[in-house]
Amino acid sequence: MLLGGHILMAQITSPLSGENLTITGEALQGSLTDLLDLALVGKQAHWNLVGRNFRSLHLQLDDIVAIARTRADEVAERAVALGLNPDGRAATVARDTQVQQPEVGYLEDSKMVAVFTDVLGAMVKRMRDRVTATEEADPVTQDLLIAVTQDLEKQHWMIQAQR
Amino acid sequence: MLLGGHILMAQITSPLSGENLTITGEALQGSLTDLLDLALVGKQAHWNLVGRNFRSLHLQLDDIVAIARTRADEVAERAVALGLNPDGRAATVARDTQVQQPEVGYLEDSKMVAVFTDVLGAMVKRMRDRVTATEEADPVTQDLLIAVTQDLEKQHWMIQAQR
Amino acid sequence: MLLGGHILMAQITSPLSGENLTITGEALQGSLTDLLDLALVGKQAHWNLVGRNFRSLHLQLDDIVAIARTRADEVAERAVALGLNPDGRAATVARDTQVQQPEVGYLEDSKMVAVFTDVLGAMVKRMRDRVTATEEADPVTQDLLIAVTQDLEKQHWMIQAQR
Amino acid sequence: MLLGGHILMAQITSPLSGENLTITGEALQGSLTDLLDLALVGKQAHWNLVGRNFRSLHLQLDDIVAIARTRADEVAERAVALGLNPDGRAATVARDTQVQQPEVGYLEDSKMVAVFTDVLGAMVKRMRDRVTATEEADPVTQDLLIAVTQDLEKQHWMIQAQR
Amino acid sequence: MLLGGHILMAQITSPLSGENLTITGEALQGSLTDLLDLALVGKQAHWNLVGRNFRSLHLQLDDIVAIARTRADEVAERAVALGLNPDGRAATVARDTQVQQPEVGYLEDSKMVAVFTDVLGAMVKRMRDRVTATEEADPVTQDLLIAVTQDLEKQHWMIQAQR
Amino acid sequence: MLLGGHILMAQITSPLSGENLTITGEALQGSLTDLLDLALVGKQAHWNLVGRNFRSLHLQLDDIVAIARTRADEVAERAVALGLNPDGRAATVARDTQVQQPEVGYLEDSKMVAVFTDVLGAMVKRMRDRVTATEEADPVTQDLLIAVTQDLEKQHWMIQAQR
Amino acid sequence: MLLGGHILMAQITSPLSGENLTITGEALQGSLTDLLDLALVGKQAHWNLVGRNFRSLHLQLDDIVAIARTRADEVAERAVALGLNPDGRAATVARDTQVQQPEVGYLEDSKMVAVFTDVLGAMVKRMRDRVTATEEADPVTQDLLIAVTQDLEKQHWMIQAQR
Amino acid sequence: MLLGGHILMAQITSPLSGENLTITGEALQGSLTDLLDLALVGKQAHWNLVGRNFRSLHLQLDDIVAIARTRADEVAERAVALGLNPDGRAATVARDTQVQQPEVGYLEDSKMVAVFTDVLGAMVKRMRDRVTATEEADPVTQDLLIAVTQDLEKQHWMIQAQR
Amino acid sequence: MLLGGHILMAQITSPLSGENLTITGEALQGSLTDLLDLALVGKQAHWNLVGRNFRSLHLQLDDIVAIARTRADEVAERAVALGLNPDGRAATVARDTQVQQPEVGYLEDSKMVAVFTDVLGAMVKRMRDRVTATEEADPVTQDLLIAVTQDLEKQHWMIQAQR
Amino acid sequence: MLLGGHILMAQITSPLSGENLTITGEALQGSLTDLLDLALVGKQAHWNLVGRNFRSLHLQLDDIVAIARTRADEVAERAVALGLNPDGRAATVARDTQVQQPEVGYLEDSKMVAVFTDVLGAMVKRMRDRVTATEEADPVTQDLLIAVTQDLEKQHWMIQAQR
Amino acid sequence: MLLGGHILMAQITSPLSGENLTITGEALQGSLTDLLDLALVGKQAHWNLVGRNFRSLHLQLDDIVAIARTRADEVAERAVALGLNPDGRAATVARDTQVQQPEVGYLEDSKMVAVFTDVLGAMVKRMRDRVTATEEADPVTQDLLIAVTQDLEKQHWMIQAQR
Amino acid sequence: MLLGGHILMAQITSPLSGENLTITGEALQGSLTDLLDLALVGKQAHWNLVGRNFRSLHLQLDDIVAIARTRADEVAERAVALGLNPDGRAATVARDTQVQQPEVGYLEDSKMVAVFTDVLGAMVKRMRDRVTATEEADPVTQDLLIAVTQDLEKQHWMIQAQR
Ligand SMILES: [Fe+3]
Ligand SMILES: [Fe+3]
Ligand SMILES: [Fe+3]
Ligand SMILES: [Fe+3]
Ligand SMILES: [Fe+3]
Ligand SMILES: [Fe+3]
Ligand SMILES: [Fe+3]
Ligand SMILES: [Fe+3]
Ligand SMILES: [Fe+3]
Ligand SMILES: [Fe+3]
Ligand SMILES: [Fe+3]
Ligand SMILES: [Fe+3]
Ligand SMILES: [Zn+2]
Ligand SMILES: [Zn+2]
Ligand SMILES: [Zn+2]
Ligand SMILES: [Zn+2]
Ligand SMILES: [Zn+2]
Ligand SMILES: [Zn+2]
Ligand SMILES: [Zn+2]
Ligand SMILES: [Zn+2]
Ligand SMILES: [Zn+2]
Ligand SMILES: [Zn+2]
Ligand SMILES: [Zn+2]
Ligand SMILES: [Zn+2]
C-alpha cells in the first residue's frame, strides 16, 4: 500500500496523518494480503479436494471464500477512505503473503483440515497484532479489524472441530 | 494445471484422454489464470479509481469482477470434472498471467477505460483461440468457453464505449 | 445494420473482420428485425384477441413477447459488441420485416393460433439458416442464435398444439 | 385505432359512445403510437450509445423503455376496454409516429441527451393536449393519461438535467 | 352508511360537511355494497363452475375477487376517514345489492361469462354515475372511484372477450 | 348447499354417498356460512373501530379476516370435491348465519373485544360439533374442520386475553 | 417395500411392530407406487397433449406432478422413519402400478380429461382404503395419508369439472 | 419415442425431417430414459441411504434428482417441439433403461458412492455419443445435450470425489 | 421555491408558464414544507413517546414518517420537473412551517394523539386548498396532490380513532 | 401447567372441561417440557460438537432446534387457548424433563449420534402415548400432537441413519 | 463453562490463555445464562400474558426472544472459538440464572412491564460489568458484548416506556 | 437534548449518570443534528442537481440520505435508551447545525462534489471528536459512533474521488 510520502499529490484527503496513518496503513495492507490469499487458497482447496467429507468441506470452503472476499473489499475501501492506495495485484499477494501454500494436485480432506487449521490459526495471530496496533492509531479501523478477527476465529474453530 | 501423466493415481476418472485431454486442460488452465487475474485487477481498479466517472466505473468494475469470479469457478470445476487439477494460487497467477498490470496508486477514470479496453481485448483473443482449440477436443468444454467469451466481449464493448 | 465499410471511424473494435463480420452482422440484424416485430405483433394480438380461449392465449402471448424482447436485446448487444450498429427503428422494422402482419381489428382465438403457427414456423426457418451461416463465421454468435431458435421452436410447438 | 363505425359487430361493448368515444379513442391511439416508438428509439439509443457517460445513460434509457412498455400496455388495454381496436403494428407506428428519429450509427452521449430532451419535450406537449381533450369525454381515461404525463415529465427533467 | 345526522357525537371529524358529505357518503356506501357482493358472487362462481374453460375462469374469478376485496377495503376506509360509518354486514349487502344473483348449483362456463359480463357492465354504469356525482363534492374520493372504475372496466373487457 | 338428490345429473362424482355425504355436506355448508360471515363482521369492525387500542385491534381483525377467507375457500372447495354445491351468496349468509351481528356505527374497542369473544366462542362450539359429526362420515373432511377449529380457538384466546 | 422379516439387521428402529408395522408398510408402499406413477403419467400427458385447451391442461398437469412428487417424498420418508425400505425403482412401479396407462402418442385434451378423471378417481378409492387401514395401526401415518387424499380429491374435482 | 412413420397424421410439424429427425429423436428418447431413471434411482438412494455420511449424500442426491427432473422436462419438450412423441411411462423406462439398478433395502454410504460413480460415468458416455450423433442432425438439440452432459459430468466428479 | 423570474437562465424547461407555473410552484413548495416537517415531528414523537400505547404509536409514527418522506420526494421532483427549485433546507422548513411544534421532552401517548390529530387535520385543510388551486393550473400536479391528501386523511382518521 | 382448580378465576374460557381438560393439559405440558429441553440440548450439542462429521451434524442440530422451538410455541399456545397456563421456566424444565442430559464438555460426533438417537427415540414414545391419551379428550389437540410426532420421528430416522 | 484446566486435552486451540481466557470465559458463560433465560421467561410471558395491551406486548416479547436466541448463539459460539465449552443445559440455567422468575399463571400486562423493566435493567448492569472486564482480556469478545448490551438497553427502554 | 437535571421526573431510567451521561448526551445530540441535516441537504442536492454527472450523483445522494436517516434513528434511539430526550425539530436543526448550507437554486455537479466533500470532511472531524469523548463515558455509545464515522468516511472518499 502506498503511504502518503511517495505519492506527490494525494487525491483523497485523510482524517489521519503521520504515524497514525502509517500504522493503520500497514495493518490494512497486511489484512488485505491475508484476505485476498485466503480467498485464493480457499478456492484452490474447494476445487482439488477429495475424500469422504468432500461435500461438507467443499461448501464450507465457499463460506470462507465469501467471508474473505467481503472483508477484503471492506478493508481495501477503508484504506482508500484514509487516502491510501491498497495493492491487491497477484504479484503483490504472491510476494507478500504469509499464508502457507498448498501443493498443486488433489488435497485429501483430512489434509485440508490440517492445512486450514494452520492457515487460519496463523492469520488470527496476525489480525490480533493489527487490532492491538490500531487501538490508538485509529479506533475506526480497529473496529473493522476486530470484526474480521471475529469471523476468522469462528471459521478457525469450525475447521479444527473436524480434526 | 496438472495433467494426467505426473500424478501417479488419478482420483477423478476422465471422460477424455490423450491429446484431447491435454488440449482441453491447457485451454481451461489458461482461462482460469485469465479470469482470476481479471478479478484481481478489477478490484485493484475498483479501489484506486479517481475521476469524474468514478461512481459509474466503480460499479461496472464490480460487475466485471462478479463475472470473472463466477466464470473462474465454472472453468476450474470443469477441469476437475475432467480429472485435472486446476491451479489458482497467487504465485501461479502472478507467474503465468498475460494480463497487463496497472501501476500501484490512483488510476484516473480515462486511464482505467484505456487499460481495461486493452486487458479485455487481449483476453477475448486468447479465449477465441481456446474456443477453436477445443472444438474437436471437447465440445462440452467448448460450449462453456464460448459462454465466457460472450460475457467478456460484452464487457469489452461496454468499457470501450466510454472512451 | 451498419457494417464496417460505410462508417468512417468505427468506435467499437471488433474481434471479427472481413466476410466473417459481414455474415455475422446480417444474421444478427435479420434476427433483430424478426424479434422486434414478433414483440409488436405479439402485443397486437394480446390486445385484440377475442374468443373462448382468450385468457390462456392472452397470457401466452405475453410470454412470447417477453422472450422476444429479451432475445432482441441480447442479439442487438451482441452486434454492438462486434463493432456493428443494430437498427431497430420502427421504419426499419416495417420495411424489412418478413413477419406476416395481422389485420387491424379483433382477432379470433383460432385465427390467432393459425397466424402465430405460421409466423413462428417461418421465423424458425430463418433462424436455422442463420445458425448454419454463422457456424464458421462466429461460433460465439452461433451459440446465441441456437438459443434463440430453441426458444422459438418451443413456442411454435405450444401454439400449434392448440390447433 | 378502429372506431365503432367500420366494424360491423363490435365484440366488446363500450361504456362510452358517440363523440366521447371518438375523442378518447384518438387520445389513446396517439398515446400508444408515442409510447411504442419511445420504446423503440429508447432501445436504439441504448445500443448505439458511445461517450464518457455511456453507462449512466445506457441504464437510464432502459428505465425509459420499461416505462414506455408498461404504459403502452395500459393505454392499449384501456382502448380495448372501451370497445376499440388499438393498432401497434410496425407499419402503423412508422407511418404515424411524431417522434424524431435518430440516425443509424453511433450516438454520442451529449447528442443523445439533446435528442431525448426534444423527443420527451414534444411528447409531453402531445400528452397534455390529450389530457385536456379527455377531461369531459372520459375522466377514467384522463386519469391514466395524467399518470403517463407525470412519468414522462419526470424523465424529461432527468434527461435534460444532464445537458 | 350512517351519515352525520343520526349519530349524536361523531367520533371522527370530517374534512367535508353538508351536502358534499351526503353525496360522497352515498357514492362510497353504494360502491362498497357493489364490491362486497362482487367478491361473494365471484367466489360463488369460482366454486360452482363447470365446463371446458373451468381452469382459466376459475383463476380469473380469483383475480376479480382479489380486486373487489382490495377496493372494498379502500372504499370503506375512505368513508371512515370522512367521518362516516360504512356498513358491510351480510344483511345490508343482501338487502341493498343491485348485483344479479346466480342460481345455486353448477354454473356452466359460457353461462358464467354471460352472467359476469352483465354483472360487471351494470356495475361500471353505477360507478360512472358515482364518479360524476363526486366531482364537485370531493375530488379526493372521485380519484379513488375512478381507479375502481378503471379496474372494473378492464375485467369487464376480459370476461366478455371470452363470449 | 345442494345435496345430490335435487340435482338431476351431478357433474362432479363423489367419493362419498348416502348419509355420509349428507352429514358431511351439512358440516361444510355450516362452516362456510360461519367463515364467510366472520370475514364480513371482521371487516365491519376493522372499519368502525374506535378507542385507545384501535391500531392493535384493527390489525388483529385483518388477521382474523385473512384466516376466515382462506379457510372458507378450503371448506367450499372441499364441498365441490365431494360433488356438492356450496352456497356463499349474500342472501344465504344473511339468512342462515348464527353469528351475532354488530350494530351499525362506531364500535368501542372494549365492546369489540366482548363481541368477538362471544362470536368466536360460539363458532368454536359449532365447529366442534361438526368435527364430531364427520368423524365417521368423512375423516378427510374432519381433518380440515379440525384445522379450522384450531385456528379459531387460537384467535378466540387472543381476543379474550384483551378483556 | 421390505418389511422387517427378511432384513437380518434392521438399521432404523421402528416405533411400530408386528401387524401394525405390516399394515402401515403396505399402505405406504401402495401410496408410493401410486404417487410415483402419477408423476410419470402426468408428465407423459404434459408433453404429448394437443387440443384447444392445451395450455391450461399443460399447466394443470404440472401442478399435479408437483403434488405427486412432494407427497411421494413424504410418504417414502415416512416409511423409512418406520424402519421400512420403500421401493421406487422403475421396474417396481411398472410391475405394481394400478394406474391406467395412456397410449404412446398425442393425447387429445378431452381424452386427457377423461383419462385423468379415471386415474384420480381410482387412486382416491385406494387412498381411502389406506386411510381406513391405518387408523388403528398408526394414526401418525393416517394423518399423512388423509392429507394426500385431500390433495388428490381436489385435483380430481378440478380435472372432471372440465368434462 | 414415436417417429413420424407410424402416426398417420402428425399434429406438430417439425423443422427437421428424414434421417436428421430419426437420429435426433433417438438421442432425445435415450436421454429421456436416462434422466427419468436417474431421478428414480436418485430418490431410491435418497430414501434408503445409511452410514456416517448420510446427511451430505441425502442432500446431494436431491440435487441430482432436481437436475435430472429439470433436464428430462427440457429434453422431452424438445422432442415434442420436433414433432415427436416422447415416452416416459414407467414400463418404457423399466424396459429400456441402461441404468444400473440398486438392490432393494438399505444402501451404505460408501456403496452409494460406488454405485452412482458408475451410474453417472456410464450415462456420461451415452450422452457424449448423443452429442456426437446430433452435431450434423440438429445443432439446436446438440446444444441442449451438451448442457445436460456438462451437468452430469459435474455431478460425476462430485460423487466420485467422495470415494 | 425559486420561481422562473429570479433565476436568470432556467436550466430545466417547463411545460407550464406564467400564472399557472406560479400557482403550481406555490402549491408544491407548501406541500414540501408540510411533508418535510411532518417527517421531522413524526420522528421527534417516535423517539420521545411514553405511555401504555407506546409500541403501537411508535410503529404508527414510522408509517407516517415513511409516507411523508416518499411523498416529499415525489412533490419536490414534480417541482423540478416543472423547472422550479424546491427548497427543503432546515432553515427554510423552520421558517415557513405551519406545523404545530411539540415541546422538547417526553410526550405522553394521549398527548401525542391529540397533537397529531391537530397537525394532520390542519395539514389536510392546506392540502385541499392546494388541490383546488391547481385544478386549472396543472391537472398533473393536482393528481399528485390528491394522492397525498388521500394518504394524510387516512392517517388523520387512524390517529384520531385512538382518542 | 396450571389446571383449572387452583386458579380462582380462569381468565381464558375453555372449550373443554373436567377430565378432558386435565388429560389434554398434561399431554400439552409434557410435550412442552420435551420440546423446550430438546431445543436446549440441541443447542448444547450444536456448540460442543467435535469430529469429522462436525459440519453436517452442526447444521442438522439447528434444524432440530428450529423444529423444537416452533412446535413448543404451538403446543404452549394451544394450552393457553384451552384456558391453561403453560410453564416453560428453566427450573420447571430442569425439574420435569425426561430428556437424557449430555455431559458438559466436547461431544464426539459418534457420541452425539448415539445420544440423540436415544433422546429422540424416547421422546417419540412419550409423544405416541400423548396421541393416544388425547384421542377422546380433544381431537384438535391430538392432531397437533400427531404433527409433532411425525416431525420427531423423521429427525429420529435422520440421526440414527448416521450410526 | 469448562475452562482449560479441567479438560485433559483441549480439542479447540485458543488464541487466548491464562487469566485473559478465564476472564473472558466467565463473561461469556454469564452472558449465555442471561440470554438463554431471557428467551425462556420471554416466552413464558408471551404465552401467559393477559390485559388490554396483550397483542402489542405479545409481539414485543417475541422480538426480545428472537434477540436473546440470536445473541445466545453468537455468545456460545464465541466461547467455543476460544476453546471453551459453553453450558446451556436447563439445569445449569436454572441453577445459575440471576433473572427474576415470574410466577406461574396469568401475567397482567402492567405486571409484565414492571417485571421486564427490572429483568432487563438488571441484565444490562451485568452486561456492562462484562464489557469492562473483557476490555483488556479480549477486545474481540468485548465488541460482541457491547453489541449485546446495545440491544438489551434498547429493549429496556421500549418496555419501560410503557409504564 | 434534555439532560437529566431539568426534567423533574425522568421516565426512562439510565444505565449512566453524572458526567458520563452529560458527555454522552452531547455527543449523541450533536451527531443527531449532523445526520438530520445531512439528510436534508442531501435531498436538497438530489433535487436541484444539474450537469453531465446528474444521474450518478442523484443516485449517490440517495445512498447518503438513506445512511443519514438510518443512523439518525439509531443515534436518537440510543439517546432515549440512556434516559435522554433527543431533539430533532426543524428549528433545533436550523439553529444548531454546523453543516454548510447550499444556496437555493440549481447546483452544478462539480459544485455539488466540492460542497459535499467539505460537508462530509467537516462532519467526520466532529464525529471523531465524539468517538474520543465517549470512550470512557460510554463504550456502548462509542461503538455506535465509530460505525457512523466509518460510513461517513466511506461516503467522503466516494464523493471526493469524483473531483
Ligand atoms: Fe468496538
Ligand atoms: Fe458447435
Ligand atoms: Fe450453448
Ligand atoms: Fe389519479
Ligand atoms: Fe385524478
Ligand atoms: Fe382421527
Ligand atoms: Fe453450442
Ligand atoms: Fe379531475
Ligand atoms: Fe388428523
Ligand atoms: Fe391433520
Ligand atoms: Fe474499544
Ligand atoms: Fe463494533
Ligand atoms: Zn467494493
Ligand atoms: Zn464452486
Ligand atoms: Zn440492454
Ligand atoms: Zn397486457
Ligand atoms: Zn383495511
Ligand atoms: Zn379457491
Ligand atoms: Zn426427501
Ligand atoms: Zn414442462
Ligand atoms: Zn428522489
Ligand atoms: Zn408465539
Ligand atoms: Zn449456531
Ligand atoms: Zn426508530
Side-chain angles (χ1 to χ4, degrees), chain H residues 79-146:
Chain H
V80 201
L82 295 177
L84 302 166
N85 291 111
D87 186 354
R89 297 169 302 169
T92 308
V93 176
R95 184 193 66 209
D96 293 347
T97 186
Q98 299 183 267
V99 175
Q100 173 188 344
Q101 300 296 305
E103 290 295 299
V104 72
Y106 293 114
L107 188 61
E108 288 285 335
D109 51 5
S110 57
K111 185 74 194 302
M112 177 261 151
V113 167
V115 168
F116 276 81
T117 296
D118 290 353
V119 162
L120 288 164
M123 199 175 293
V124 158
K125 282 209 181 61
R126 292 191 294 273
M127 286 308 305
R128 285 192 165 256
D129 288 346
R130 293 171 190 134
V131 167
T132 304
T134 52
E135 179 156 30
E136 297 306 313
D138 184 12
V140 182
T141 294
Q142 188 204 29
D143 201 63
L144 173 58
L145 299 181
I146 282 172

Side-chain angles (χ1 to χ4, degrees), chain E residues 2 11-12 40 43-44 46-48 50 58 69 73 76-77 80 83 85-89 102 104-106 108, chain F residues 2 11-12 40 43-44 46-48 50 58 69 73 76-77 80 83 85-89 102 104-106 108:
Chain E
L2 277 179
Q11 283 194 242
I12 307 291
L40 289 169
K43 274 292 180 188
Q44 179 76 2
H46 170 82
W47 297 323
N48 290 289
V50 288
H58 180 72
R69 286 174 172 174
D73 198 58
E77 299 197 341
V80 201
N85 291 112
D87 186 353
R89 296 169 303 169
V104 72
Y106 293 113
E108 288 285 337
Chain F
L2 278 178
Q11 283 193 245
I12 307 292
L40 288 170
K43 275 293 181 188
Q44 179 77 2
H46 170 82
W47 297 323
N48 289 289
V50 289
H58 180 72
R69 285 175 173 173
D73 198 57
E77 299 197 341
V80 201
N85 291 111
D87 186 354
R89 296 169 302 169
V104 73
Y106 292 115
E108 288 285 337

